[in-house]
Amino acid sequence: MRLLILGGPGSGKGTQSQKLSEHFGIPWISTGDTLRAEIAADSPLGQQVSETLAKGELVSDKLMIALIKERLQQPDAAKGWILDGYPRTAFQAEELDFFLDTLNTQVNYAIWLELPAHALIERSENRAAIDDNPEALRRRIETLAETTIPMLEYYDYRQRLLRIDGNQPPDDVKREILGGIS
Ligand code: ADP
């Protein structure tokens, strides 16, 4: 199973990704967590992206595409994965499909966790990551509307988009996802 979990900050992407990763016994790959770990380790990549994350901007497509190709070629990703927070731009989505073509595979579903902006803000206010400051949060929600929501059309057109109401208890969200992909 190869799933994309998409949604705004506080939409429950991480929670659902973890549940689905356990359910299917496949790795959970979060691009946001990967980048934050690089920043915490003060690696060259971390130094390169820390300002971008702190501002709530998107990391460049070029860098993200290289990162994800690397990760998806690791042995543990051979039988499937849950991608949390990737892709975020139409270019990333296209490049992901091109890359998966070369591996003779494809995304099964893109799962969109739908929540109104005010609910995202309320939920995110209870978190404390470096990029959860109010200004960065506002910028992330703007980017979501400007760039990521339009990208959903790419999957909708290919009949691989599953829209889920994210404003319900986590186990209900999970049940709805599993019902939708079976
Ligand atoms: P959020 O909680 O805003 O949904 P994530 O934890 O998924 O965010 O990602 C945190 C940050 O990491 C983003 O604001 C962005 O700077 C960067 N990032 C993560 N995934 C991507 C991606 N696919 N493309 C570009 N930047 C990304």
Side-chain angles (χ1 to χ4, degrees):
M1 186 59 78
R2 292 176 175 83
L3 300 176
L4 312 176
I5 310 295
L6 308 167
S11 61
K13 288 196 299 285
T15 306
Q16 293 305 321
S17 297
Q18 184 173 19
K19 285 179 184 293
L20 293 165
S21 152
E22 279 166 17
H23 181 90
F24 290 110
I26 51 180
W28 163 25
I29 301 170
S30 159
T31 47
D33 286 351
T34 304
L35 295 171
R36 280 189 284 264
E38 295 285 339
I39 293 170
D42 203 23
S43 69
L45 173 61
Q47 292 176 5
Q48 208 179 332
V49 302
S50 69
E51 211 175 300
T52 308
L53 262 84
K55 284 197 276 189
E57 301 286 347
L58 290 180
V59 171
S60 75
D61 282 343
K62 191 171 173 218
L63 213 156
M64 292 309 299
I65 289 164
L67 185 81
I68 214 72
K69 282 187 180 173
E70 228 286 306
R71 182 62 187 90
L72 295 184
Q73 289 181 86
Q74 299 302 311
D76 69 328
K79 294 208 175 80
W81 30 255
I82 309 289
L83 262 190
D84 166 358
Y86 194 91
R88 293 265 235 278
T89 69
F91 189 62
Q92 290 179 8
E94 285 172 17
E95 288 290 314
L96 178 62
D97 269 359
F98 292 148
F99 174 64
L100 294 178
D101 265 351
T102 70
L103 303 179
N104 279 318
T105 185
Q106 61 169 14
V107 167
N108 297 105
Y109 290 96
I111 296 161
W112 170 242
L113 300 178
E114 218 160 13
L115 272 162
H118 70 85
L120 296 177
I121 292 169
E122 260 166 48
R123 288 184 178 193
S124 298
E125 275 168 356
N126 303 320
R127 307 198 306 193
I130 55 150
D131 48 345
D132 282 332
N133 65 76
E135 183 54 27
L137 191 61
R138 194 185 57 74
R139 188 64 197 124
R140 281 149 73 199
I141 290 173
E142 263 172 25
T143 309
L144 186 77
E146 287 165 4
T147 311
T148 305
I149 293 179
M151 178 202 77
L152 298 176
E153 181 57 34
Y154 181 88
Y155 294 103
D156 202 9
Y157 181 74
R158 290 164 177 76
Q159 301 187 331
R160 281 185 278 161
L161 182 68
L162 192 63
R163 291 176 188 274
I164 302 283
D165 175 10
N167 210 1
Q168 35 177 356
D171 283 330
D172 293 354
V173 175
K174 178 189 170 194
R175 198 169 312 121
E176 213 177 302
I177 294 174
L178 291 176
I181 67 182
S182 59

